[in-house]
Amino acid sequence: NDPANMFDTYSTEINFIIALLVLLTSSLAVFALYHLRYIRISKNNLKLQKENEERKELLNNTLSVMSEGVVSFDGNFRIIDINAAARQMSGYGGNFIGRRFEEIFNTSQPKDQDSVGTLLERVLELKRRLSLSNPTRINYSNRESRVISGSVSPVVNSEGVVSQLVLVFYDITDSFKQKRFLNLAVESAHSYTWYYNSYNNKFVFDEHFRIFAGEESHSEVSMNYFIRNIHPDDREKFVTCHQNIVEKKTTVFMVEYRIMFDRKGGYEWWERRAISFMDSSSESDELNIYGMDINIAGHKAREQELIDARNRAEESDRLKSAFLSNISHEIRTPLNGIVGFSNLLTDEEYSPSEKSNFIKVINDNS
């Protein structure tokens, strides 16, 4: 009834209603804002979850087709994941998850090297990758053992804690056998292999080089150092052969030379064979030279023995010829008398006394 005084009369109620409306409006706005944010976060989470599932599926597919064995462990060294290759190489037919490595795999290694279980403990402690002992074998009850190589790596989270250990290994049985066969062949032939680095002009030798050069020798030796140990008479042909292959005048060479590794032992004969390969896959054509040095001291000794035997045979032949020549001369002279006087015995013109003298001459010449 009194609009003019209505605001004054109900100012408190009006202010309350206005404040309530403002509060409701603000609440609705905040709710709408948070709802939109929740929807956006939910969508992002769903998207991330889908991407994670796709990544996990991709990772599982990748691990399943890998020829390398991959085994994941938790901090208590229990298996939390294992791929198909590792399952196959284990030879185990039960459940893998939650098991320890030694419950699944029967491995062995040299006595002075760490087992796989010890290696897992060391990686957890040191928080760095460590390689498997060489060689490590997986043993089976009904088939040949396999030689493996690989490493154990830690997965460290943002807090610096190792949350996971990953063992990656692969079968090297065939290459291990081939290396053994090659080592046996090299050792039996009294030889060593080498690679020539054309960038620093050095030879890189294998482990057999120290057998001949001594334990204190280096596996990488400069060309000048190596040449200093070669016999002075053989240095020129040795350097020429290497220079020709470095300058690409030839792709293979063979040279015999004498070298003295041990001052007390003197010079020994060696034969060097080399072959070069040109790597065109690099930016600049890279020259790779590989070779083998074979100890031919025994061969040279036998060769010298044969030469000496040939010389002795030739000398013996000369002596035999001289002997036969002398004997022929010495025999021919009395034979002339024997034959001549024998013919005279048949001649009737000579008297018995003369023939008796002829017989005496024949007997003397005989």
Side-chain angles (χ1 to χ4, degrees), residues 190-206:
H190 299 288
S191 59
Y192 57 84
T193 57
W194 52 268
Y195 161 73
Y196 178 69
N197 190 332
S198 57
Y199 289 105
N200 58 12
N201 200 32
K202 288 186 176 182
F203 294 109
V204 181
F205 299 101
D206 65 10

Side-chain angles (χ1 to χ4, degrees), residues 73-79 98-100 102 124 162-163 165:
F73 302 87
D74 60 17
N76 296 319
F77 311 114
R78 296 192 178 276
I79 297 175
R99 299 276 188 174
R100 290 182 175 271
E102 56 272 13
L124 182 63
V162 177
S163 60
L165 299 169

